[in-house]
Amino acid sequence: MPESWQVFLLGFLPLCISDLRGRPESEVEALRLVALEQIASHGDVALFGGKGRAKARVGIAQGLAVLAFAEGGVTALGIHACVEPHEGCPEI
């Protein structure tokens, strides 16, 4: 994964996670669906460039933020994100 992706995610992913804290489950679900659509429709653009690249990258970060709330968090694209320390967590 290009280093630029990791820099982007390290900066933006914590903001996405913070934005989700305290939101009702219905809002988180709606955001998950939007992120899913962006990734499915424009994942290639996120990686290789083109129209809609920024939206696709934001969709990926938001999708990872949603997954960070799952038990054990998420590890993808060279980044681990979780909201609580857990067994095997690279942060502890």
Side-chain angles (χ1 to χ4, degrees):
M1 188 54 50
E3 185 179 331
S4 63
W5 265 100
Q6 289 181 337
V7 170
F8 167 74
L9 289 173
L10 287 172
F12 195 64
L13 186 53
L15 296 173
C16 292
I17 291 170
S18 177
D19 184 53
L20 291 178
R21 288 188 190 275
R23 281 193 182 209
E25 186 64 34
S26 61
E27 286 184 25
V28 174
E29 177 62 14
L31 184 60
R32 183 190 70 79
L33 293 173
V34 169
L36 177 64
E37 176 63 27
Q38 287 297 322
I39 294 166
S41 299
H42 305 290
D44 57 335
V45 175
L47 290 173
F48 303 114
K51 185 177 180 181
R53 184 177 193 183
K55 283 186 178 182
R57 283 188 167 202
V58 168
I60 290 169
Q62 288 175 330
L64 291 174
V66 170
L67 291 172
F69 285 86
E71 185 176 334
V74 61
T75 301
L77 306 172
I79 302 292
H80 176 77
C82 59
V83 296
E84 293 183 17
H86 54 87
E87 187 176 327
C89 183
E91 299 298 318
I92 56 174

